[in-house]
Amino acid sequence: MASPVRRWRRVPAAAGDSADTASATAPVVVWLRNELRLCDNPLLQRGLQLAKGNLQLVVCLDPREFQATTAFGSPKVGELRKRFVEECLCDLRRRVAERGSRLLVQQKAPEEVLPALVSEGSTVLVTAQVCSEERAVERRVRKALEAKGAALEVVPAAGITDLVGPEELQRAGVPSGEEFPVIFQRFFLPLRPFLLEICQKGLSDAPVNLPSASGAELEDEELRLTDAVPGTDIRGGETAGLERMTVWLNSGFRSYKDTFRSLQGDYSSRLGAHLAYGCISPRRLVKEALSHGSGQSSVHVEHFVYEMCWRDFFRHTAARWGTGLFHVAGPAECGAHGMSSESSWKRDLGAERRWKEGSTGVPLVDAAMRELNETGYIGNLARQFVAAFLIEDLQIDWRVGADWFEATLVDYDVHSNWGQWARSAGVVPTNEAKRNRVGGTRYYDLAMQRPEVSDYVRNWLPELQDVADEELFSPWTNSWPIGKVLSATSNGSSYSKPLISMRLKQYFESVSGASRLCGLPSPRRAKKGKGQRKGGGAPRATAALRWATSDSRFHGS
């Protein structure tokens, strides 16, 4: 296999950065991982508090993450997410340089880089994390620093990467650590009255000046954004994140509760990646949302805050469950909840490949997977139905899906991603409504009610452009011969034979039939008329489409 292309090139240390010009005081090092910002950054504020004229900001692009593959054979960081990280670092490096300092970027393991930056008495600051790989790296760094007479100070994550920590949870009467509740409402409802006050703490403007960074005789990594990545409109960096937050709070946010299940359009904040890499503060985002419109609450504000709290919920449950979150049968403690056992799952490399590349022959699923692969993003509803397809219809090991999302999502967050996949798979506790939806068609129903669903499928599956609306979601029902592929268009394009359970096959056929019988307008060309709500919007649900409307989804913003 060919060696991976090197994305970054080392450049010599700048004049004045050698050990000969080092400050007489021991340097303070701020080790940045998922807090790539200057505003609202308590980790940086702690560094400024400790530093006496020598503060070094450093990012380590650990090859064990950026050049590695997972146990399932996927890249740990896909090309679209690498590009996003590059944009984040370029933006942060520029902002740091404008303030008189520098951001050191190294393509090495942190336990190699950080000891080279310290002297006896130095302190390295890092934000606390809870998952096993990150904590293992911290242990290696601590050992290497101690050998140099330096210390690693782990700063609590509350206000940096998390909304709340043990102190805030205690005030709300919510236990933390191993006693943290595994049902979301037991976390959210007691916390909600305190959120605005909590989210006003720890916010700060970017420093006007930063202390110089001296004494580091290391070659830097030159970040050159020359590899154009088509398909994604999510730009990385604190500058882009703050701009997007401002724009969205004054546009799509005002209708969020009505549009958050959409399949295309400006229906989501698309700030999940900026939150995952710390380009913006979660507290800043929630504070601005709660204060939006002179502090007047609305269903749109409340629903967005609800979703943001899911993000914290998954971070705290990940801390509770540890490595058990990544086991096929889930955490050992969850066995008492009657969750799925290891024997419930299978592997099928052919089916997995077709699901990943969007060639299952199920148009709705394939459209979403192709969008994911090309853009690094799909909406919350799409994340739910592609997960349901892999888990419930193909009965594939749920970790295959979590692993592929890790490789492809620009907004990947280890806690939310693995936590929600585990919930979808039923290997961690969840609420009664979620359990009742397993094996049903809830998420497909919601998608099929979207007025843009036909446009969405045709946009990502051009081979189905010529298929009639009533056959678009079940193209196997037409008169074309069924073989390895179905001839789907008049211009010779083809579409895969369906990889589908009889249950789901009958579902899509019945939905298509219901649309014809009830005279529902095509969502692609929906107009006010029979079967559609007055004033526009999705068509009225038929018996084949009618389900409850409450939902707990893949949670990201």
Side-chain angles (χ1 to χ4, degrees), residues 96-118:
V96 170
E98 290 172 348
R99 290 159 174 80
S101 188
R102 72 162 181 166
L103 173 69
L104 180 65
V105 178
Q106 291 284 289
Q107 197 177 4
K108 297 178 182 176
E111 63 266 30
E112 297 179 45
V113 174
L114 297 171
L117 300 176
V118 302

Side-chain angles (χ1 to χ4, degrees), residues 117-362:
L117 300 176
V118 302
S119 58
E120 187 171 359
S122 289
T123 299
V124 174
L125 300 171
V126 68
T127 305
Q129 297 205 30
V130 300
C131 288
S132 55
E133 290 183 0
E134 291 77 9
R135 297 188 69 178
V137 173
E138 289 172 16
R139 289 192 294 271
R140 289 192 288 267
V141 168
R142 187 184 298 277
K143 183 177 179 180
L145 291 176
E146 288 174 349
K148 295 282 298 274
L152 179 68
E153 180 179 322
V154 180
V155 179
I160 304 177
T161 58
D162 300 3
L163 288 173
V164 299
E167 180 180 336
E168 292 82 9
L169 291 173
Q170 182 179 25
R171 183 183 176 195
V174 179
S176 58
E178 295 182 355
E179 300 301 319
F180 183 80
V182 297
I183 301 300
F184 175 73
Q185 297 294 345
R186 297 175 189 171
F187 156 72
F188 175 70
L189 293 178
L191 183 67
R192 176 61 187 89
F194 302 96
L195 268 180
L196 180 57
E197 180 182 348
I198 290 171
C199 290
Q200 290 171 330
K201 296 179 179 178
L203 303 182
S204 61
D205 294 333
V208 176
N209 298 297
L210 289 169
S212 62
S214 60
E217 195 171 359
L218 289 174
E219 292 183 331
D220 208 351
E221 298 286 355
E222 182 183 22
L223 300 168
R224 297 176 298 171
L225 296 176
T226 57
D227 299 326
V229 179
T232 180
D233 59 357
I234 301 176
R235 301 269 71 88
E238 182 177 16
T239 301
L242 292 173
E243 288 176 354
R244 172 60 183 167
M245 180 179 71
T246 300
V247 168
W248 191 72
L249 286 174
N250 289 287
S251 57
F253 177 61
R254 297 174 177 177
S255 58
Y256 180 69
K257 185 66 168 66
D258 298 329
T259 61
F260 75 99
R261 290 195 181 103
S262 298
L263 296 171
Q264 58 187 20
D266 192 22
Y267 58 87
S268 167
S269 75
R270 296 185 186 242
L271 288 169
H274 300 92
L275 289 165
Y277 280 96
C279 303
I280 59 173
S281 161
R283 284 188 178 178
R284 169 69 68 181
L285 182 54
V286 171
K287 183 255 183 184
E288 295 296 332
L290 287 172
S291 303
H292 191 71
S294 302
Q296 295 179 358
S297 182
S298 73
V299 292
H300 308 298
V301 173
E302 288 302 317
H303 194 75
F304 184 73
V305 170
Y306 171 88
E307 295 295 338
M308 284 293 294
C309 286
W310 269 102
R311 181 178 178 273
D312 252 51
F313 173 78
F314 284 126
R315 300 175 90 82
H316 288 283
T317 52
R320 170 174 175 157
W321 287 323
T323 58
L325 178 61
F326 307 98
H327 294 170
V328 64
E333 68 169 278
C334 296
H337 297 272
M339 301 300 164
S340 301
S341 67
E342 187 170 350
S343 61
S344 303
W345 306 100
K346 68 180 182 181
R347 295 294 308 279
D348 182 331
L349 297 182
E352 293 167 19
R353 175 187 57 78
R354 291 179 64 180
W355 178 81
K356 291 176 182 179
E357 67 187 21
S359 63
T360 66
V362 181

Side-chain angles (χ1 to χ4, degrees), residues 266-532:
D266 192 22
Y267 58 87
S268 167
S269 75
R270 296 185 186 242
L271 288 169
H274 300 92
L275 289 165
Y277 280 96
C279 303
I280 59 173
S281 161
R283 284 188 178 178
R284 169 69 68 181
L285 182 54
V286 171
K287 183 255 183 184
E288 295 296 332
L290 287 172
S291 303
H292 191 71
S294 302
Q296 295 179 358
S297 182
S298 73
V299 292
H300 308 298
V301 173
E302 288 302 317
H303 194 75
F304 184 73
V305 170
Y306 171 88
E307 295 295 338
M308 284 293 294
C309 286
W310 269 102
R311 181 178 178 273
D312 252 51
F313 173 78
F314 284 126
R315 300 175 90 82
H316 288 283
T317 52
R320 170 174 175 157
W321 287 323
T323 58
L325 178 61
F326 307 98
H327 294 170
V328 64
E333 68 169 278
C334 296
H337 297 272
M339 301 300 164
S340 301
S341 67
E342 187 170 350
S343 61
S344 303
W345 306 100
K346 68 180 182 181
R347 295 294 308 279
D348 182 331
L349 297 182
E352 293 167 19
R353 175 187 57 78
R354 291 179 64 180
W355 178 81
K356 291 176 182 179
E357 67 187 21
S359 63
T360 66
V362 181
L364 187 63
V365 172
D366 290 348
M369 294 306 293
R370 293 192 199 180
E371 181 189 14
L372 171 63
N373 293 334
E374 184 168 329
T375 70
Y377 182 85
I378 50 175
N380 287 330
L381 178 57
R383 298 186 196 201
Q384 283 286 21
F385 63 68
V386 299
F389 183 81
L390 184 77
I391 291 169
E392 298 172 15
D393 285 272
L394 301 185
Q395 299 181 349
I396 299 293
D397 183 342
W398 62 273
R399 298 174 302 168
V400 171
D403 175 84
W404 188 245
F405 273 28
E406 178 175 350
T408 53
L409 282 173
V410 172
D411 62 13
Y412 170 75
D413 172 279
V414 59
H415 320 91
S416 298
N417 182 67
W418 286 84
Q420 185 57 75
W421 271 95
R423 288 184 79 245
S424 294
V427 299
V428 297
T430 186
N431 56 39
E432 187 67 23
K434 179 80 171 179
R435 286 193 294 272
N436 288 340
R437 286 196 288 272
V438 173
T441 58
R442 159 71 171 162
Y443 304 115
Y444 304 113
D445 293 338
L446 290 170
M448 294 299 292
Q449 292 178 61
R450 296 301 311 170
E452 73 277 11
V453 64
S454 294
D455 274 344
Y456 177 71
V457 168
R458 285 189 169 90
N459 183 44
W460 294 106
L461 303 180
E463 63 267 42
L464 297 185
Q465 285 290 338
D466 298 337
V467 178
D469 286 344
E470 61 269 20
E471 295 177 340
L472 182 60
F473 299 96
S474 55
W476 56 83
T477 60
N478 63 28
S479 58
W480 299 321
I482 297 178
K484 291 185 178 179
V485 295
L486 291 174
S487 175
T489 68
S490 59
N491 60 17
S493 299
S494 61
Y495 186 58
S496 302
K497 178 180 178 179
L499 179 70
I500 190 171
S501 68
M502 182 57 67
R503 176 189 69 89
L504 199 57
K505 180 174 181 290
Q506 292 173 343
Y507 167 78
F508 280 114
E509 291 173 359
S510 69
V511 169
S512 298
S515 296
R516 289 192 296 269
L517 291 171
C518 297
L520 293 177
S522 165
R524 182 169 180 251
R525 292 181 290 273
K527 297 180 180 178
K528 182 178 175 182
K530 184 177 180 180
Q532 191 174 8

